[in-house]
Amino acid sequence: MPEHKVLVVLPVEQSHKKMLETAAGGRCSFVYKQPGDLSDEDVSDAEVIIGNVSPELVKNAEKLSLLQLNSAGFEAYAKSGVMRKGSVLCNARGASSLTVGEHMLAFTFELVRHLHRYRDNQLECRWESHGAITSVEGATVAVLGMGDIGSFYARKVKALGAECVIGVRHSLRNRPDFLDEQYTLS
């Protein structure tokens, strides 16, 4: 008989389920739900929750020993009275650096090259200029927020030839090589 109940609130495929269940070696029973389909009962007897559950529901998780979020943000769960005393809260800091950082890079190209305007023109069979375009190479780029995502992005624009990459962060730390200048928010 499984010893522990694990509630998984992430989109998982059959291969993910098999991997989790194999790793547990029969010691855990797994319940797979979508966040919108959760009830107090689903959460109240879960010892481990993998994924983001409403902090209001987490308050009712009387047996919770571990909450593994699928987001970097955890502040709502760290408030007094949300988590059971002695339970462990883990976030997914760094898990989205690649995808979000590349997305930011794509938007940078879209903005400096007016790609969205040219796409709209093409759809309407119009061939007109939207003015001068700029380049990342030789540019000065300011990055507000030097966490995992901001650092990934700053590294990429520096590698693309940005002349000056300025990082703005909450507190001063050793300046990484990919930043030319670094400042605090104040």
Side-chain angles (χ1 to χ4, degrees):
M1 182 85 175
E3 303 169 29
H4 308 285
K5 178 182 174 187
V6 178
L7 175 61
V8 180
V9 189
L10 295 171
V12 290
E13 298 177 10
Q14 203 58 39
S15 62
H16 300 128
K17 292 178 182 180
K18 184 177 180 182
M19 183 173 47
L20 286 169
E21 292 165 13
T22 300
R27 295 183 308 272
C28 300
S29 63
F30 288 84
V31 175
Y32 302 94
K33 293 273 190 156
Q34 295 300 312
D37 298 333
L38 286 173
S39 67
D40 282 334
E41 186 179 313
D42 292 322
V43 176
S44 67
D45 62 345
E47 293 177 62
V48 175
I49 299 174
I50 302 172
N52 289 26
V53 172
S54 160
E56 286 303 312
L57 284 175
V58 172
K59 288 179 182 180
N60 302 323
E62 299 166 3
K63 297 179 181 178
L64 187 66
S65 61
L66 172 69
L67 172 57
Q68 172 63 64
L69 300 175
N70 62 317
S71 64
F74 63 90
E75 293 79 9
Y77 301 91
K79 292 179 181 174
S80 179
V82 174
M83 300 270 302
R84 185 178 72 82
K85 189 172 179 81
S87 57
V88 176
L89 174 63
C90 301
N91 68 349
R93 181 176 180 235
S96 300
S97 301
L98 175 67
T99 55
V100 177
E102 285 183 350
H103 203 78
M104 290 169 56
L105 198 56
F107 277 127
T108 299
F109 285 119
E110 179 181 12
L111 291 171
V112 301
R113 302 272 176 178
H114 312 295
L115 296 177
H116 55 295
R117 291 181 176 150
Y118 287 113
R119 179 214 51 230
D120 292 348
N121 281 356
Q122 184 180 22
L123 292 173
E124 296 174 14
C125 298
R126 287 181 304 153
W127 314 112
E128 60 188 49
S129 173
H130 285 285
I133 60 171
T134 58
S135 178
V136 172
E137 186 167 332
T140 297
V141 178
V143 182
L144 304 176
M146 292 302 300
D148 289 330
I149 295 169
S151 294
F152 176 91
Y153 175 77
R155 227 180 358 265
K156 295 299 180 190
V157 293
K158 187 65 176 176
L160 287 169
E163 185 175 317
C164 181
V165 179
I166 302 167
V168 180
R169 58 183 357 141
H170 288 288
S171 59
L172 282 182
R173 299 186 191 146
N174 291 337
R175 183 178 53 82
D177 293 344
F178 52 84
L179 289 182
D180 297 292
E181 298 175 29
Q182 176 176 263
Y183 301 95
T184 62
L185 289 171
S186 61

